Amino acid sequence: MSVLVLFDIDGTLIRTEGAGVRGMDAALERLHGCRRALDGIPVSGRTDRAILAEIFERQGIDPSSVDLDELLERYVASLAEELREPRGPRFGVLPGVVEALDALGGDPRFRLGLLTGNIRRGAEVKLAHFGLWERFDFGAFGDDHVDRRDLVPVALDEARAVGFDPAHVVVVGDTPLDVDCAHAHGARAVAVATGEYPYDALVRTGADVAVRTLDELHPWNERLAALCGV
């Protein structure tokens, strides 16, 4: 049997120390005159589409008046600029990530995908900056649905499209919403406390496994195979 492992990005694989927020703020200010539009809006674990919908509501912007393609192009450009100027000591690839991807990617029992609220272009810019984009065969992105719960079926459809019929699915993320979307579809959830939520809070979500960093999941292959009964 094979195991499909779906990774969240921000707070799970990498930390950009707010580059995405700053990039979106810059795009909204340039195109709509909104200064610091994301202030007070929760972003962890949410899709970009859900975040934008809340921004438009708070700012009194009619979504039908927005050229979304132009806004997202400006966001992606601003995001790339922000990533070239790292801020904060935790900026970069998180502990255990490269080692886990090396181990799982070299084991034919596993396929690796993404499950993220980032739009696809934003996800590519972030992961490519850190040399991780090519590690993943497919994914579900914030373009696909507003509700994060709906991203798991998208990822499964993508997996089947490349000839993989996953018998077992594990979602690895750093927020309660990652755990929720996994369990909503009968998948296993691994919660890692490298994002905004502390370890104890993630334990309380009912995650199948909670760790402080992905290093603690070592040996990754054996732990995830056992989690799925493989």
Side-chain angles (χ1 to χ4, degrees):
M1 290 186 181
S2 298
V3 177
L4 174 61
V5 188
L6 300 172
F7 285 89
D8 172 55
I9 293 178
D10 296 291
T12 301
L13 297 174
I14 61 173
R15 282 187 69 104
T16 66
E17 299 295 74
V21 169
R22 293 191 300 274
M24 187 63 78
D25 272 341
L28 286 161
E29 182 172 2
R30 182 184 179 103
L31 297 178
H32 295 279
C34 308
R35 287 184 54 82
R36 300 181 65 89
L38 276 88
D39 280 7
I41 293 181
V43 297
S44 293
R46 302 179 72 194
T47 66
D48 284 348
R49 286 179 60 185
I51 293 165
L52 282 172
E54 185 169 348
I55 289 170
F56 295 155
E57 182 178 359
R58 290 195 183 192
Q59 297 290 334
I61 297 171
D62 178 1
S64 67
S65 71
V66 176
D67 185 333
L68 192 58
D69 287 339
E70 183 183 14
L71 175 61
L72 294 178
E73 286 292 344
R74 172 52 53 184
Y75 158 64
V76 170
S78 298
L79 171 62
E81 292 173 7
E82 290 289 342
L83 289 170
R84 288 193 287 270
E85 299 181 11
R87 308 185 191 190
R90 298 182 69 188
F91 181 90
V93 180
L94 288 163
V97 167
V98 172
E99 295 83 356
L101 296 180
D102 283 345
L104 295 169
D107 187 329
R109 294 176 297 170
F110 295 90
R111 291 294 297 271
L112 305 183
L114 295 167
L115 191 149
T116 174
N118 286 275
I119 61 168
R120 182 184 180 89
R121 285 173 291 167
E124 182 174 1
V125 166
K126 287 181 179 180
L127 291 180
H129 181 82
F130 298 106
L132 299 179
W133 176 249
E134 299 299 330
R135 299 282 196 141
F136 302 95
D137 296 325
F138 47 81
F141 302 92
D143 317 67
D144 298 314
H145 278 285
V146 173
D147 191 333
R148 196 178 187 92
R149 276 191 174 196
D150 294 325
L151 295 181
V152 175
V154 173
L156 296 183
D157 287 344
E158 289 290 325
R160 295 185 184 98
V162 295
F164 179 64
D165 186 12
H168 302 282
V169 181
V170 179
V171 175
V172 183
D174 67 298
T175 76
L177 289 175
D178 295 300
V179 177
D180 174 75
C181 78
H183 287 168
H185 295 279
R188 303 294 188 185
V190 173
V192 55
T194 43
E196 302 302 320
Y197 288 86
Y199 172 77
D200 290 345
L202 294 176
V203 170
R204 292 194 293 271
T205 65
D208 299 277
V209 177
V211 292
R212 291 173 176 82
T213 73
L214 280 179
D215 278 328
E216 292 185 9
L217 199 61
H218 183 271
W220 304 278
N221 305 41
E222 287 73 12
R223 292 283 300 278
L224 293 181
L227 183 63
C228 293
V230 174

